Amino acid sequence: MGMNIPKTAIVIPGASGDLAQRKLVPALDILYRQQRLGPDPILVGSGRSSFTTESFRERFNVSTEFARHLYYHQGISGIKSFIDSRGAFERIVFFLSLPPAAYGDTAQEIAAEGFGDETSIILEKPFGYDSASAHELNSRLAPYFDEQRIFRIDHYLAKEAVQNILVFRFANSIFYPVWNNRYIDSIQISALENEGIVERGAYFDHAGIIRDMVQNHLLQLLCLLTMEAPVSLDPDDIRAQKITVLRSLRIDRCHRYQYRGYHDGKGVAPGSTTETFAELQLSINNFRWTGVPVYIRTGKAVHRRGTEIGIRFKPVPPLLFNHNGALPPNQIVFKIQPAEGIILDIQSKIPGTDDSISRSTMNFCYRDVFAGTIPEAYQRLLYDVLRNDHTLFVSARESEIAWDVVGPVLHTTDIEPYEPGSLPAGKLPVDWIDFDGYQGLCG
Ligand code: BG6
């Protein structure tokens, strides 16, 4: 385990921030204790604040063994010699825990320190604000870091139930023949949150839910669901297929909503028309999927938290058990979170009747099948960076094309209100799968 990780220095510019404290350093502590950080690693925090090694170590609630590997260096300038003075590191990884506006300058500063090919950078979304700014960001990074040394995080890709989508599709022969427009009626993706924007108004008000969730997380889910089989599991082959899906996407309808009381949030501009909920209808214009609508809805401050993907199949012919055409179609629901599972809806005869039929479900629930807890996304992502595995990261091209997809609806201002704690009534011509009805399944 972790045997092939070289001697590594991890540097976190922005280490005094919330992300380092809540997610990154705890995840690295776990990886360290699992012996997955390579021999004698160091973690160097960096930022504008001044800390001594001791006061920096005291900020984190980590194991005493791991705490001994933590250091602090003020600013980027001089960080190369600081690292060199601690040993010869074969790999250096910078996790930019910074506002995206600082990515370009920081990449340049890191390069100016004289780091070479052993150095990679990890970036969090958002990668740009629209297509033009995404291109600009990528072209600012490119002179210093080639694509193989940039890791763009989309934490949805690290969710176990998301990683399982390709396994479900390409490791099971029975679904493969029906995964197309001959058998599938619609694809429905629902990603709901009960919390509002909380303390993130300053960021969110400039973004809105389409930039925040659709451009990245939800289009990535759609790619995994609908891409062709890659030639191999090599990250470049998988990315190539995702790019092909993205290039064939078009948004046919989009409706934007905002919860009442949103304007009271800190950092929200008066009169803001930023959407906190959106519903979209898309088409995938290729041979496999043409004619199958994709519906996406996502938003904050609704009645519950949960991400589900539903595949609705076409109905059986209006004969026999379906003579009145009312028999519900088969459905597959991927429960991504909070409880992971896959549910197949089928029709079954009610015992003791002649031909009364009721809907029943075949359930695969992670908690019943797999023991142990599911690792945190950052644990997986950081480990993959150390192993130099790009599979769960987003390429420049994917991100740019995803911006092109959402581009046409980024600047609309029509907005409808909804009550916090409830789902907006919705205007798409869709009969949504009753995802709420699956909540009891899988815990
Ligand atoms: C982030 C968004 O990328 O994803 C947040 O910026 C959102 O606004 C979050 O709440 C949702 O992630 P998860 O893992 O809780 O579904």
Side-chain angles (χ1 to χ4, degrees):
M1 200 169 34
M3 297 305 278
N4 46 9
I5 306 288
K7 189 169 161 64
T8 302
I10 298 154
V11 189
I12 308 183
S16 56
D18 187 50
L19 183 70
Q21 184 128 28
R22 276 190 312 117
K23 302 275 190 187
L24 304 182
V25 180
L28 289 164
D29 182 26
I30 294 172
L31 290 173
Y32 176 76
R33 285 183 280 129
Q34 295 172 337
Q35 299 178 354
R36 288 178 164 192
L37 288 191
D40 254 329
I42 59 169
L43 188 163
V44 184
S46 150
R48 272 177 295 194
S49 328
S50 84
F51 291 106
T52 61
T53 303
E54 285 66 38
S55 65
F56 183 66
R57 288 178 182 176
E58 278 162 16
R59 293 178 61 79
F60 304 100
N61 183 18
V62 292
S63 62
T64 35
E65 312 86 78
F66 183 56
R68 275 189 247 121
H69 298 259
L70 267 51
Y71 299 90
Y72 188 78
H73 182 272
Q74 199 171 7
I76 299 286
S77 169
I79 209 157
K80 172 101 167 53
S81 37
F82 180 83
I83 292 173
D84 289 345
S85 74
R86 308 234 66 91
F89 293 90
E90 289 170 68
R91 215 65 233 275
I92 300 174
V93 174
F94 281 81
F95 192 116
L96 307 195
S97 186
L98 300 169
Y103 288 168
D105 287 348
T106 310
Q108 192 170 351
E109 278 180 74
I110 293 170
E113 278 287 292
F115 288 106
D117 287 348
E118 75 288 4
T119 311
S120 306
I121 53 171
I122 311 176
L123 310 171
E124 281 276 356
K125 64 172 265 276
F127 317 119
Y129 178 77
D130 54 16
S131 181
S133 54
H135 278 87
E136 190 194 319
L137 173 61
N138 288 329
S139 64
R140 284 211 60 194
L141 301 175
Y144 312 114
F145 293 91
D146 64 41
E147 195 57 18
Q148 283 309 310
R149 292 163 56 210
I150 302 177
F151 292 83
R152 294 177 193 77
I153 290 186
D154 183 318
H155 79 283
Y156 266 57
L157 296 179
K159 293 181 190 285
E160 278 294 338
V162 173
Q163 293 176 49
N164 193 41
I165 294 173
L166 291 189
V167 177
F168 177 88
R169 292 190 52 207
F170 300 125
N172 294 294
S173 63
I174 63 171
F175 303 108
Y176 175 73
V178 296
W179 218 251
N180 56 51
N181 55 7
R182 290 177 63 195
Y183 296 95
I184 291 181
D185 184 66
S186 68
I187 297 174
Q188 308 188 6
I189 301 178
S190 169
L192 308 177
E193 290 181 86
N194 52 347
E195 287 201 325
I197 53 162
V198 202
E199 294 294 308
R200 298 169 71 227
Y203 152 74
F204 192 88
D205 198 41
H206 287 106
I209 205 78
I210 296 174
R211 287 188 173 86
D212 188 49
M213 291 289 293
V214 179
Q215 184 270 347
N216 38 75
H217 308 320
L218 304 185
L219 290 187
Q220 283 288 333
L221 294 189
L222 183 57
C223 286
L224 295 173
L225 281 169
T226 61
M227 64 186 241
E228 297 299 315
V231 172
S232 78
L233 293 176
D234 186 272
D236 285 340
D237 288 332
I238 296 176
R239 286 169 168 191
Q241 297 297 9
K242 289 200 282 179
I243 286 169
T244 306
V245 173
L246 288 168
R247 289 180 51 208
S248 59
L249 287 181
R250 190 183 64 221
I251 298 179
D252 297 321
R253 290 192 173 85
C254 173
H255 301 288
R256 300 159 67 259
Y257 306 82
Q258 186 187 73
Y259 64 83
R260 289 191 205 278
Y262 170 72
H263 289 115
D264 303 335
K266 207 171 99 203
V268 174
S272 162
T273 58
T274 298
E275 80 286 356
T276 59
F277 187 97
E279 44 171 24
L280 298 94
Q281 178 177 336
L282 297 94
S283 45
I284 310 174
N285 298 292
N286 63 24
F287 254 68
R288 183 185 287 273
W289 293 111
T290 188
V292 181
V294 176
Y295 301 105
I296 293 180
R297 69 175 184 201
T298 181
K300 298 196 179 276
V302 301
H303 61 298
R304 69 172 172 93
R305 171 171 185 266
T307 302
E308 294 95 25
I309 299 167
I311 306 293
R312 173 174 286 152
F313 288 87
K314 298 205 161 154
V316 293
L319 299 166
L320 309 178
F321 303 112
N322 191 26
H323 55 83
N324 61 4
L327 198 65
N330 293 123
Q331 292 174 163
I332 295 177
V333 171
F334 296 84
K335 286 170 66 78
I336 306 295
Q337 62 186 24
E340 296 87 351
I342 301 175
I343 315 290
L344 171 62
D345 271 20
I346 53 175
Q347 307 306 323
S348 306
K349 176 175 172 291
I350 301 175
T353 66
D354 282 342
D355 58 4
S356 291
I357 288 178
S358 99
R359 177 196 150 222
S360 49
T361 61
M362 292 171 73
N363 306 341
F364 152 52
C365 299
Y366 278 56
R367 66 137 202 233
D368 298 338
V369 178
F370 299 116
T373 49
I374 294 180
E376 246 271 75
Y378 280 99
Q379 241 168 280
R380 171 68 201 241
L381 292 169
L382 289 163
Y383 183 55
D384 283 356
V385 174
L386 300 179
R387 299 192 293 168
N388 220 358
D389 183 336
H390 277 81
T391 312
L392 304 183
F393 297 86
V394 177
S395 65
R397 191 93 184 98
E398 278 170 89
S399 168
E400 289 167 3
I401 304 178
W403 279 117
D404 292 339
V405 172
V406 297
V409 297
L410 286 182
H411 300 290
T412 47
T413 52
D414 303 349
I415 193 113
E416 303 250 341
Y418 63 101
E419 293 307 321
S422 69
L423 204 59
K427 294 196 224 158
L428 291 181
V430 48
D431 172 22
W432 282 103
I433 292 174
D434 173 25
F435 292 115
D436 288 359
Y438 293 76
Q439 290 318 291
L441 302 174
C442 297

